[in-house]
Amino acid sequence: AIEACDENPWRRATFGEWTRTLSGESPARDFEHYLAEREYATLDARNLVHLAYLIHTTFGADAAEPIYRRAELDQPSLFWPHISLGLIAYEKRDMQEARRQFETARALSPSSGRVHSSLCGVYSAPSDAADFDLAVESGRKAIALIPESPRAHYNLGLALTRRGAVDKGIVALKQAIDRDPNYFPPWN
């Protein structure tokens, strides 16, 4: 996870130092203590999101969720905490919360293909929140914004298939494979 910070030496040093101070309790609680002790409590929301992502990939969603929530509170206009909280809700199969978070992210960043792709996934997930027409609409917007994304094509393929347009769904799934034969969907 530390290698993910290579482009930002401050983030790399901060995360590397923090991981060496873990007490074995909750990584999120350890992180809060770490920030307080080093006067990083004023860390801006963008850097909180970066660190929460590293915590998420290293220690899991439960450890990162409170930090994403802090970023969400600190800077409500930043869409990344909402995407991350939506993914966490999706992983927990809480489709209502996932939908709420992704729709908030869309309101904050309507031109984000990642947001539209995530909405496509949540709208097409089997649940009470499923809306296949919205899923297909979001999937098409995602592809218009990020045409090379295997995730966008994959999510549209699932939405079309679940809507009953199996042939069109298979075409979209093949397009996902064409873009990345090794693509494995992280949360669908």
Side-chain angles (χ1 to χ4, degrees), residues 70-141:
R70 179 175 156 201
E72 175 188 32
L73 291 172
D74 285 357
Q75 190 175 349
S77 63
L78 187 64
F79 74 100
W80 279 108
H82 298 286
I83 290 177
S84 300
L85 290 167
L87 292 170
I88 290 170
Y90 191 99
E91 290 170 7
K92 293 179 177 180
R93 311 312 281 170
D94 182 351
M95 295 306 144
Q96 294 296 334
E97 176 64 8
R99 183 176 181 158
R100 186 183 74 76
Q101 290 290 347
F102 291 140
E103 287 175 348
T104 300
R106 179 185 57 201
L108 294 170
S109 184
S111 63
S112 169
R114 172 82 186 257
V115 170
H116 289 287
S117 181
S118 297
L119 275 168
C120 178
V122 78
Y123 287 150
S124 68
S127 75
D128 294 339
D131 186 327
F132 299 117
D133 291 335
L134 283 176
V136 170
E137 179 184 331
S138 293
R140 288 187 174 140
K141 283 182 185 175

Side-chain angles (χ1 to χ4, degrees), residues 4-188:
C5 294
D6 280 341
E7 77 285 354
N8 186 320
W10 179 86
R11 262 188 264 146
R12 181 180 171 88
T14 301
F15 187 71
E17 183 181 333
W18 168 70
T19 56
R20 289 188 292 276
T21 67
L22 291 175
S23 68
E25 296 175 27
S26 161
R29 194 171 328 124
D30 288 345
F31 179 68
E32 292 292 335
H33 292 295
Y34 173 82
L35 288 178
E37 291 170 6
R38 285 156 185 81
E39 298 180 15
Y40 293 139
T42 59
L43 197 63
D44 70 22
R46 290 179 190 274
N47 280 316
L48 280 174
V49 170
H50 290 294
L51 290 170
Y53 172 78
L54 293 170
I55 292 165
H56 190 164
T57 57
T58 306
F59 301 105
D62 290 337
E65 186 173 1
I67 299 162
Y68 285 127
R69 293 222 180 268
R70 179 175 156 201
E72 175 188 32
L73 291 172
D74 285 357
Q75 190 175 349
S77 63
L78 187 64
F79 74 100
W80 279 108
H82 298 286
I83 290 177
S84 300
L85 290 167
L87 292 170
I88 290 170
Y90 191 99
E91 290 170 7
K92 293 179 177 180
R93 311 312 281 170
D94 182 351
M95 295 306 144
Q96 294 296 334
E97 176 64 8
R99 183 176 181 158
R100 186 183 74 76
Q101 290 290 347
F102 291 140
E103 287 175 348
T104 300
R106 179 185 57 201
L108 294 170
S109 184
S111 63
S112 169
R114 172 82 186 257
V115 170
H116 289 287
S117 181
S118 297
L119 275 168
C120 178
V122 78
Y123 287 150
S124 68
S127 75
D128 294 339
D131 186 327
F132 299 117
D133 291 335
L134 283 176
V136 170
E137 179 184 331
S138 293
R140 288 187 174 140
K141 283 182 185 175
I143 289 170
L145 292 164
I146 47 174
E148 293 306 312
S149 168
R151 176 185 293 197
H153 289 276
Y154 175 84
N155 284 345
L156 178 60
L158 286 185
L160 288 165
T161 302
R162 290 175 177 159
R163 183 179 174 195
V166 176
D167 291 341
K168 291 180 181 177
I170 290 171
V171 169
L173 292 169
K174 285 181 180 178
Q175 289 172 341
I177 293 168
D178 289 345
R179 276 146 183 80
D180 183 355
N182 299 313
Y183 176 71
F184 182 78
W187 51 278
N188 280 30

